[in-house]
Amino acid sequence: MAEAIYVGGLLVATPLLDDPNFRRGVVLILEHDEDGGTLGVMLNRPSEVTVTQVLPSWDALVTGPPVLFEGGPVQTDSALALASVPSGEEPLGWRRLHAGSSAVSKLGTVDLDAPPEILAGEITQMRIFAGYAGWTAGQLEAEIREGSWYVVEAEPGDTFDSLPTNLWRSVLRRQPGELAFVATCPDDPKLN
């Protein structure tokens, strides 16, 4: 399964992963290079900090909930934004994640140093993440082999899910076969 790591795919924490940074986490893979490592953001960790408190000029463009999301434990003092576009165009201030026909082909990163006005009519949804999740070359593959992560396909709505705290169960429920049953695992697997 480690060879299935790809930009636009999801990493879903297995019930065995009890690291508080990633427990029951869903990570969207933004970059992957076998020699350079992997970078992603947690999609299901809304924080208590509103976008207005940190980046007020972007508040009007953010898809609810209008808060910063905890993207991961790395560089939590920096922000990264994801936005989707309605067409195949690449507006100024936006860079496509993946050029294929996958579920995330209209998803890209936003240059938060650009004026929000240039993207206001160009994007349909947007979220801002504080920090990111990162793995060195081979580290994520080792974690997958030891049973910490499932690698699954993303669906278009995952990044901007209106109930982000339910995303872990939602993503697992839609998987084929026995993997769907993992969604019913109690918070403490020892109680199962």
Side-chain angles (χ1 to χ4, degrees), residues 109-179:
T109 57
V110 172
D111 178 0
L112 291 171
D113 290 328
E117 303 80 42
I118 66 170
L119 284 166
E122 304 292 329
I123 62 173
T124 56
Q125 296 176 301
M126 180 174 154
R127 286 234 164 114
I128 301 176
F129 301 86
Y132 63 90
W135 295 265
T136 59
Q139 182 183 8
L140 179 57
E141 290 84 348
E143 289 181 17
I144 292 168
R145 281 191 300 276
E146 70 186 21
S148 295
W149 298 100
Y150 303 117
V151 181
V152 302
E153 285 191 39
E155 287 190 356
D158 291 340
T159 303
F160 307 105
D161 193 291
S162 61
L163 297 170
T165 55
N166 295 338
L167 191 60
W168 185 84
R169 287 191 195 288
S170 299
V171 169
L172 286 171
R173 258 190 220 113
R174 71 175 185 239
Q175 300 310 309
E178 293 180 16
L179 192 53

Side-chain angles (χ1 to χ4, degrees), residues 19-188:
D19 176 335
N21 292 310
F22 296 110
R23 189 172 184 286
R24 301 253 168 154
V26 178
V27 177
L28 176 68
I29 300 170
L30 304 179
E31 294 179 16
H32 176 68
D33 182 331
E34 290 180 22
D35 298 324
T38 306
L39 180 139
V41 290
M42 298 279 288
L43 298 178
N44 60 333
R45 296 275 163 74
S47 76
E48 302 272 326
V49 179
T50 65
V51 172
T52 303
Q53 290 173 283
V54 182
L55 294 164
S57 61
W58 289 98
D59 186 60
L61 299 179
V62 172
T63 304
V67 297
L68 288 181
F69 278 66
E70 297 172 11
V74 182
Q75 291 189 358
T76 57
D77 59 344
S78 65
L80 179 149
L82 294 176
S84 61
V85 294
S87 66
E89 300 294 316
E90 288 200 29
L92 189 62
W94 182 86
R95 184 176 60 95
R96 185 178 312 283
L97 271 189
H98 185 55
S101 61
S102 74
V104 294
S105 64
K106 294 180 180 181
L107 187 63
T109 57
V110 172
D111 178 0
L112 291 171
D113 290 328
E117 303 80 42
I118 66 170
L119 284 166
E122 304 292 329
I123 62 173
T124 56
Q125 296 176 301
M126 180 174 154
R127 286 234 164 114
I128 301 176
F129 301 86
Y132 63 90
W135 295 265
T136 59
Q139 182 183 8
L140 179 57
E141 290 84 348
E143 289 181 17
I144 292 168
R145 281 191 300 276
E146 70 186 21
S148 295
W149 298 100
Y150 303 117
V151 181
V152 302
E153 285 191 39
E155 287 190 356
D158 291 340
T159 303
F160 307 105
D161 193 291
S162 61
L163 297 170
T165 55
N166 295 338
L167 191 60
W168 185 84
R169 287 191 195 288
S170 299
V171 169
L172 286 171
R173 258 190 220 113
R174 71 175 185 239
Q175 300 310 309
E178 293 180 16
L179 192 53
F181 291 115
V182 176
T184 63
C185 185
D187 285 338
D188 184 351

